[in-house]
Amino acid sequence: MKSKDNLEEAIQKNLNFSASTELHDRMLNDVLNAQEQSRKKQSAASRPNIRRIIMRSPVTKLAAAAVIFLAAGIGIYTLTQSDEVHFPEVVPPPAVLAGPLTYTFQDGSIVNLADGATIETSSEESTRGFRHISGAIEVTVAKGQGDFIVTTPYGDVKALGTKFTMELVDGTDTNTQEEIKLLAVEVEEGSVRVSNTKGSSIVEASRKLIVEPDQKPYDYYQDENLPARLRERIQLMLEALTAGDSAAWMANYNIDYMYKLIKGQVEYDPNLFGGSKADAERLQKMGGDISSPQELLERFIAMGGIKKASGEIYVRSVTLNENGNHAVARCIEYAGENHIIGHNPQWHFFDNDWWQIDD
Amino acid sequence: MIEDELLKWRFKRSSKDALQRIYEKYLDYLLTLAMALLHNASEAEDIVHDVFVKFAESSADFKLTGNLKSYLTTCVLNCARDKLRANQRQSTRPESIDSEINGPDHMIISTEESLRLNHAMAQIPDQQREVIALRLKGKMKFREIAKLQGVSVNTIQGRYRYGLNKLRSILNGEVEK
């Protein structure tokens, strides 16, 4: 117990109590009995009515038989949790499905669940859609059969004849410890409408949209407060990071300005160079032998350039300053619950264009 | 998390297997938490028993949308607080955990190191002990604990820090003896 860390570790690892076999069995017996008694009470209270309703008409008799058949199917699935079990080709009662799994709905719509994803199907035959509980899914909606709605904790996604992916992010930013919860919707074909109590937005093919708790759906590309060229710059940055393309990434920076800064031909200005003054001075020392902007670019790429993003990059918001010449984005790089890294790239308008100044 | 979602869904439909799995999964964790909070084996056993029985009885009306582990943790915490308040009202002192655990029945199994840590935990204030137990055994965030205790995150962090310092001095004192 010499240090605080050791003490925390000691409590985490060594402070453990467990039930003896006798205690375990006795308590379990009480717990299962309590459930059984509670079930009997519920059942006794409701059974006569249910039975009367079922036996009143031949249609409900058939429906009851179908429910028993479906319940058997679901029971098999939930016990085995295997993706090899095939569901009956009819609309099931509410069921939680866990990935990896491909599930085909009665109307022909298909949902692919990645490992870690879960959804709950709907029991209402008149409703197409399901509830998205966690993880990443890909949905292909059969066309021309009415609305198909996926509900999530942060908003509803209404498909308009389309193929799209959804990811529910729930984790903590590795660097800032900020809790991140959001839904990301990406459309491959067609379009979807994403709505919640704060607003509604249509996502077209090849676009991504983010919904955070109690926030309206956000797609920077549809943000009319942002200049079109800035939106294009953000898009180019994302494409370069996703591809790991250093040349494309550097093309968003004003290389001429950076060259002049390294050569001491312009003053350090935090609006035009994202690093600190000390960073700029370090660059001046390191790049003293560089003789042209082109050489600066080549040197950067030769040094390894940028690292390809390890996961999806989601733009949560972009804020423009009052003068309308400086923008900061809140982004996350997401590669699973244990890999969420926040980034705050910045852009500034100078030399007649929007230039990225920080990543 | 996915397993818990499935267990919740099956439990709501009165699955005995789901209830047993939830019991197996969380019994020792809840016993450890209760022991850390109450430092009394028979009281810890009682509240964990009551929490599971009430949980089992709730299956028909069960409507939990949040995290199952957090729900059970909060149940144990509330019962432990009630028990501590009742003890204070009756001015009763908890019995020694050592005599309970090492007695003839051996209902709760532990190691010497665990007893030593728990004995030290018993000597720090209730609120600090609660934060340390929830943080280190419940793996809860300071923000979540702050919500449970109805105070600010800074206060929780302070209680955590003071509690650890006190624990360290108690444990170091033991070594010096």
Side-chain angles (χ1 to χ4, degrees):
Chain A
M1 302 302 152
K2 295 294 177 195
S3 73
K4 183 177 169 181
D5 288 342
N6 286 343
L7 177 55
E8 287 171 308
E9 202 179 321
I11 293 170
Q12 275 176 333
K13 286 186 180 167
N14 302 330
L15 179 61
N16 293 308
F17 293 92
S18 57
S20 65
T21 309
E22 191 192 334
L23 175 61
H24 171 281
D25 293 350
R26 176 165 53 77
M27 212 188 280
L28 178 60
N29 192 42
D30 289 351
V31 169
L32 294 178
N33 276 340
Q35 186 190 35
E36 182 62 18
Q37 291 303 318
S38 169
R39 196 187 61 76
K40 277 181 184 166
K41 267 190 210 164
Q42 286 284 334
S43 175
S46 58
R47 192 181 300 124
N49 291 339
I50 292 168
R51 184 172 170 75
R52 266 202 298 278
I53 291 162
I54 288 174
M55 292 308 165
R56 197 173 291 155
S57 112
V59 174
T60 47
K61 277 182 199 168
L62 282 173
V67 166
I68 291 164
F69 169 71
L70 291 170
I74 298 300
I76 291 166
Y77 168 73
T78 50
L79 284 173
T80 58
Q81 295 177 25
S82 158
D83 57 352
E84 291 174 3
V85 175
H86 297 284
F87 277 77
E89 290 295 320
V90 288
V91 177
V96 174
L97 311 180
L101 175 79
T102 297
Y103 180 71
T104 306
F105 291 88
Q106 190 187 28
D107 67 348
S109 298
I110 297 167
V111 56
N112 287 314
L113 287 82
D115 192 9
T118 47
I119 65 166
E120 183 176 34
T121 59
S122 168
S123 60
E124 293 172 33
E125 288 194 33
S126 57
T127 310
R128 290 206 306 160
F130 56 88
R131 186 164 76 93
H132 184 189
I133 300 170
S134 66
I137 59 173
E138 182 189 63
V139 188
T140 306
V141 178
K143 289 179 183 172
Q145 299 182 43
D147 293 344
F148 189 104
I149 298 172
V150 184
T151 59
T152 80
Y154 315 129
D156 296 346
V157 178
K158 182 171 154 187
L160 311 168
T162 181
K163 186 174 181 181
F164 59 101
T165 61
M166 296 172 62
E167 180 138 41
L168 277 167
V169 175
D170 184 355
T172 307
D173 186 320
T174 312
N175 296 328
T176 63
Q177 297 302 305
E178 181 193 2
E179 191 176 12
I180 310 282
K181 283 179 189 290
L182 58 84
L183 164 71
V185 183
E186 185 169 7
V187 176
E188 199 174 308
E189 288 172 23
S191 61
V192 301
R193 177 183 289 280
V194 182
S195 315
N196 62 14
T197 54
K198 302 287 180 184
S200 170
S201 187
I202 289 179
V203 196
E204 303 288 348
S206 308
R207 296 294 327 147
K208 277 184 202 171
L209 180 139
I210 304 300
V211 198
E212 299 195 52
D214 299 322
Q215 300 287 323
K216 65 180 179 184
Y218 186 75
D219 171 12
Y220 71 87
Y221 215 78
Q222 295 184 53
D223 186 342
E224 290 174 356
N225 294 322
L226 307 179
R229 176 60 174 158
L230 173 61
R231 285 183 258 168
E232 190 185 350
R233 281 286 191 205
I234 299 171
Q235 180 67 19
L236 290 169
M237 174 197 75
L238 295 176
E239 286 171 6
L241 282 171
T242 306
D245 185 338
S246 298
W249 188 72
M250 280 303 283
N252 292 310
Y253 284 79
N254 188 331
I255 300 293
D256 287 341
Y257 168 78
M258 288 179 76
Y259 175 74
K260 286 177 191 166
L261 180 69
I262 287 171
K263 288 295 173 190
Q265 295 167 8
V266 289
E267 287 291 312
Y268 164 77
D269 180 343
N271 280 325
L272 310 184
F273 176 72
S276 64
K277 192 167 186 184
D279 290 333
E281 286 166 0
R282 222 172 2 254
L283 269 179
Q284 285 168 354
K285 280 181 195 161
M286 287 166 59
D289 60 330
I290 293 173
S291 58
S292 69
Q294 181 60 28
E295 196 183 336
L296 172 63
L297 183 61
E298 285 164 4
R299 183 79 65 93
F300 173 79
I301 294 169
M303 283 164 67
I306 56 156
K307 214 172 82 181
K308 186 177 174 179
S310 55
E312 291 290 332
I313 299 172
Y314 298 129
V315 181
R316 301 168 65 194
S317 67
V318 181
T319 309
L320 205 58
N321 70 353
E322 279 184 5
N323 296 331
N325 63 358
H326 195 94
V328 183
R330 285 162 67 236
C331 307
I332 56 161
E333 185 178 325
Y334 178 73
E337 282 177 19
N338 298 319
H339 185 103
I340 301 178
I341 298 167
H343 296 279
N344 297 104
Q346 299 183 48
W347 295 262
H348 194 83
F349 187 84
F350 66 110
D351 288 352
N352 297 315
D353 202 353
W354 278 95
W355 297 102
Q356 186 170 347
I357 63 152
D358 199 5
D359 58 356
Chain B
M1 185 212 165
I2 295 153
E3 190 199 12
D4 280 6
E5 286 297 325
L6 284 169
L7 287 173
K8 275 161 55 182
W9 182 81
R10 291 168 59 198
F11 172 67
K12 270 196 281 189
R13 283 147 187 83
S14 300
S15 162
K16 193 175 160 183
D17 290 343
L19 176 59
Q20 184 161 351
R21 173 72 190 120
I22 292 168
Y23 173 84
E24 306 280 3
K25 190 172 177 183
Y26 291 114
L27 173 63
D28 287 347
Y29 158 65
L30 294 177
L31 272 178
T32 300
L33 183 66
M35 283 295 291
L37 295 170
L38 294 165
H39 49 91
N40 179 288
S42 63
E43 287 185 347
E45 184 190 318
D46 282 350
I47 66 165
V48 172
H49 175 274
D50 290 351
V51 164
F52 272 123
V53 166
K54 279 179 189 155
F55 178 71
E57 287 171 346
S58 74
S59 66
D61 307 315
F62 190 67
K63 282 178 186 165
L64 176 67
T65 52
N67 182 295
L68 182 59
K69 185 181 176 187
S70 299
Y71 171 78
L72 293 170
T73 299
T74 308
C75 290
V76 166
L77 179 65
N78 288 337
C79 289
R81 284 174 176 174
D82 289 346
K83 188 69 83 178
L84 287 169
R85 273 196 290 268
N87 288 343
Q88 276 167 4
R89 274 199 301 273
Q90 294 161 14
S91 303
T92 52
R93 287 176 66 84
E95 300 160 44
S96 154
I97 55 168
D98 297 10
S99 64
E100 286 279 334
I101 291 170
N102 299 327
D105 291 341
H106 295 283
M107 287 302 187
I108 293 180
I109 301 166
S110 177
T111 60
E112 202 174 321
E113 173 65 358
S114 192
L115 285 176
R116 193 174 78 89
L117 288 168
N118 214 45
H119 185 67
M121 289 273 278
Q123 297 173 62
I124 65 173
D126 292 350
Q127 288 176 330
Q128 293 174 10
R129 186 168 59 245
E130 198 174 293
V131 176
I132 289 172
L134 293 174
R135 173 77 175 170
L136 296 179
K137 299 309 295 183
K139 296 188 172 60
M140 287 176 75
K141 292 171 181 160
F142 286 127
R143 188 175 41 75
E144 294 167 329
I145 304 170
K147 206 173 166 187
L148 272 180
Q149 292 196 352
V151 293
S152 72
V153 175
N154 283 343
T155 305
I156 291 299
Q157 286 173 330
R159 285 176 185 171
Y160 181 72
R161 207 169 45 247
Y162 288 128
L164 281 180
N165 285 342
K166 210 165 285 178
L167 269 183
R168 195 183 309 112
S169 73
I170 292 167
L171 291 164
N172 284 340
E174 269 181 17
V175 172
E176 282 162 18
K177 282 176 199 172

